[in-house]
Amino acid sequence: MIFVLGATGKVGRALVPALLDAGAAVRALTRDPAKARIDPRADVVRADLDTADLPALLDGADRVFVLTQGDSVTRERAVAHAAARAGVSHLVKLSTTGVHFGQKDPITRAHAEAEQAVREAGPAWTILRPGAFMDNRFAWLRTIREENAVYVPEGDPASALVHVRDIAAVATLALTTSGHEGATYELTGGEALTTEQQVAVLSEATGRTIKYIEEPEATARERMTRMYGWPAEAVDGFFGLKRESAAHEHVVFGTVARLLGRPPRTFQDWARENAAAFTSHYRE
Ligand SMILES: NC(=O)c1ccc[n+]([C@@H]2O[C@H](COP(=O)([O-])OP(=O)(O)OC[C@H]3O[C@@H](n4cnc5c(N)ncnc54)[C@H](OP(=O)(O)O)[C@@H]3O)[C@@H](O)[C@H]2O)c1
């Protein structure tokens, strides 16, 4: 049985059905099964990683997909140690390309430490290091719906965004086939697009001309607080990560194509799949 942490998140929602389609038995973790819409073929388990009896939670798991939010070091170290004691044979950890590039922001440093804990815990391991997700562009939903506009902080870099289903496909490979033990895979899309190009792709997919507006960082910070209610430390964290990743976001890794034997999904694919979400509730 494969135990999937973060089963209701962006990656987990794609991973659970992919594993089930590959014939695996899946146990999926959530803190709230009533809200979670997890594939009914999976065995859903309710727990909070911060309070759970981890050895009991991991009992019977053969392989574990390790994805956490926030303080990944504390949680993932505890999960890795408990997994070793529970006889788990293989841990597949979701990390970030930032570790490859040696970024110094707190999120990346936490992933680097958590990777180390997973490598040292005992079970076989595979590290997946995706770059920025295409799904991050759901942050543009509100202003596209309400104003037909996207506001981007000045100097936002071109980015080789990766589709979460490609991350899930690689994770499925690592969790269901051999030969990935001890491997670290950087995962990106196949091309870097500027944010202006991404907005043009969304315009094409939605059939609307979406306005692209660059704004100074101070205005972008104010928008995040006013419009989205982000706390100050979350805004700082976002810009801290941005400053560290800006120089690398355009870098394309060929790993997805090499492992999956097909090109990565494109931002055009993603925009077509999600066009309806961007245009619902749209007010002219
Ligand atoms: N976004 C990017 O561009 C990007 C790029 C590279 C790497 N990453 C990394 O990707 C990871 C986030 O993945 P994601 O976007 O798929 O996640 P997500 O959509 O933010 O979902 C978070 C998941 O974590 C679970 N979770 C949160 N706290 C928990 C707790 N205390 N106990 C148990 N489960 C808990 C949630 O489950 P419930 O709410 O159902 O309990 C949910 O399934 C982070 O490590 C991030 O650093 C992100």
Side-chain angles (χ1 to χ4, degrees):
M1 179 265 291
I2 299 170
F3 190 20
V4 177
L5 311 186
T8 61
K10 293 181 274 301
V11 175
R13 275 197 304 268
L15 177 59
V16 169
L19 287 171
L20 290 160
D21 289 346
V26 174
R27 182 189 291 169
L29 179 71
T30 177
R31 288 165 297 174
D32 188 354
K35 266 204 300 187
R37 282 180 309 197
I38 296 176
D39 191 309
R41 296 171 292 170
D43 169 26
V44 176
V45 172
R46 174 192 200 129
D48 186 320
L49 286 173
D50 293 337
T51 51
D53 173 356
L54 290 177
L57 191 64
L58 291 159
D59 188 41
D62 180 38
R63 295 172 175 218
V64 180
F65 180 68
V66 182
L67 181 156
T68 69
Q69 251 184 339
D71 185 351
S72 51
V73 183
T74 308
R75 289 205 190 112
E76 294 184 9
R77 184 178 288 123
V79 166
H81 289 165
R85 286 199 300 279
V88 167
S89 69
H90 192 166
L91 298 167
V92 175
K93 169 174 159 54
L94 198 287
S95 178
T96 165
T97 44
V99 181
H100 172 87
F101 293 116
Q103 288 175 206
K104 298 289 176 237
D105 56 278
I107 293 175
T108 302
R109 284 214 309 262
H111 273 303
E113 248 188 84
E115 281 190 10
Q116 201 53 30
V118 165
R119 288 195 182 94
E120 290 169 359
W125 52 266
T126 307
I127 307 292
L128 307 183
R129 292 176 175 166
F133 300 174
M134 293 179 187
D135 275 14
N136 293 352
R137 297 310 179 229
F138 283 127
W140 293 344
L141 265 178
R142 180 156 162 193
T143 58
I144 290 180
R145 284 174 175 172
E146 294 182 355
E147 304 172 40
N148 210 29
V150 168
Y151 297 87
V152 178
E154 278 168 0
D156 222 35
S159 184
L161 299 172
V162 62
H163 197 303
V164 288
R165 287 216 303 283
D166 283 343
I167 302 172
V170 172
T172 299
L173 208 59
L175 286 160
T176 60
T177 65
S178 59
H180 304 286
E181 297 82 358
T184 300
Y185 296 133
E186 281 76 24
L187 308 174
T188 64
E191 62 176 345
L193 297 180
T194 63
T195 39
E196 190 165 12
Q197 288 171 320
Q198 294 163 34
V199 172
V201 168
L202 272 171
S203 289
E204 171 88 32
T206 55
R208 301 179 189 280
T209 305
I210 301 166
K211 293 188 284 291
Y212 172 81
I213 302 158
E214 289 192 9
E215 58 188 10
E217 183 177 316
T219 315
R221 281 175 173 269
E222 196 262 327
R223 176 183 303 283
M224 286 172 165
T225 311
R226 176 175 46 84
M227 196 177 236
Y228 301 108
W230 282 34
E233 60 275 17
V235 176
D236 285 346
F238 174 83
F239 282 101
L241 180 61
K242 272 275 162 210
R243 261 189 295 279
E244 286 286 321
S245 68
H248 320 296
E249 278 201 36
H250 67 282
V251 176
V252 171
F253 291 89
T255 328
V256 169
R258 180 165 62 78
L259 292 173
L260 302 180
R262 59 153 177 84
R265 289 179 170 85
T266 64
F267 192 67
Q268 281 81 358
D269 296 334
W270 185 89
R272 276 192 292 268
E273 287 164 21
N274 295 293
F278 283 94
T279 49
S280 59
H281 313 304
Y282 173 69
R283 291 201 300 269
E284 197 84 47

